[in-house]
Amino acid sequence: MDLSIQGYLGRQPTKKLETMLLLYLQDGMWEDYFYVIPMIVEVLTKRGFDISQQIYDRIAEIENIQQNL
């Protein structure tokens, strides 16, 4: 069994991953979980889940914030 974070995410239902993604993109949360967001996006994309442009915009916004820290 793959006990890595990627393996864990791959075993989660799509709805749970969507919920995690939205939670981790919130202010006050992304600072601790931003490293996981690309992994969640990858798993959802492989499953054919349609990630909204709004989510991609939020990810880009956070990346800009990180670069300016």
Side-chain angles (χ1 to χ4, degrees), residues 38-51 56:
M39 293 183 234
I40 295 172
V41 169
E42 180 182 349
V43 172
L44 289 172
T45 301
K46 285 181 180 178
R47 293 181 185 182
F49 183 81
D50 185 28
I51 298 173
Y56 284 119

Side-chain angles (χ1 to χ4, degrees), residues 15-68:
K15 186 64 178 167
K16 182 173 182 175
L17 291 175
E18 179 186 15
T19 300
M20 289 169 64
L21 180 60
L22 295 173
L23 177 67
Y24 293 169
L25 288 172
Q26 292 179 13
D27 287 337
M29 291 291 290
W30 68 262
E31 293 90 342
D32 294 329
Y33 295 100
F34 194 69
Y35 72 97
V36 177
I37 291 171
M39 293 183 234
I40 295 172
V41 169
E42 180 182 349
V43 172
L44 289 172
T45 301
K46 285 181 180 178
R47 293 181 185 182
F49 183 81
D50 185 28
I51 298 173
S52 72
Q53 186 60 47
Q54 183 179 9
I55 290 175
Y56 284 119
D57 291 346
R58 176 65 176 150
I59 292 169
E61 177 185 339
I62 292 170
E63 287 173 341
N64 284 334
I65 292 169
Q66 284 186 318
Q67 290 176 359
N68 293 321

